[in-house]
Amino acid sequence: MASLAARLFRAFFIRNGATLSRNTGPKSVNATGPSFSRTAVSTTSGAVLPKPIKVPFGLTRMVIVVVPFLYVGNLISKNFAALLEEHEIFVPDDDDDDD
């Protein structure tokens, strides 16, 4: 009885594994194109999947994207803080430094 329950439980999760996982994209065991999200290292038959494609200049690309947006965010926040001070919506008090 326990082995029957275990087989049914395992069959349910093998059949419904795609719907219960986070990656809900199309799954193919014999994919010929690059796979950017891999959750397994072997196929159902036990064969080892090929090595994933390495993204060249990954860290450099990340820096090229992150640094300009950090700089633009910095400029926006400085200009907005100056606008708030100019319209006296938020003016920092200098009284706290008189100790």
Side-chain angles (χ1 to χ4, degrees), residues 4-99:
L4 176 64
R7 277 188 278 158
L8 288 174
F9 183 73
R10 191 174 71 185
F12 173 76
F13 277 109
I14 288 172
R15 204 173 314 126
N16 297 326
T19 59
L20 297 175
S21 67
R22 285 183 174 208
N23 186 7
T24 58
K27 305 235 190 269
S28 174
V29 175
N30 297 326
T32 57
S35 176
F36 296 110
S37 176
R38 292 173 58 137
T39 58
V41 293
S42 64
T43 62
T44 56
S45 65
V48 177
L49 292 173
K51 200 172 189 180
I53 298 170
K54 188 174 181 182
V55 178
F57 305 111
L59 185 62
T60 307
R61 286 182 182 178
M62 185 185 69
V63 168
I64 288 172
V65 170
V66 168
V67 169
F69 283 104
L70 281 176
Y71 183 70
V72 169
N74 182 21
L75 289 177
I76 291 171
S77 62
K78 281 196 319 186
N79 290 335
F80 191 68
L83 180 76
L84 289 176
E85 272 190 56
E86 180 181 330
H87 292 288
E88 297 181 1
I89 297 172
F90 175 75
V91 179
D93 292 331
D94 291 334
D95 296 339
D96 296 336
D97 297 333
D98 293 338
D99 291 334

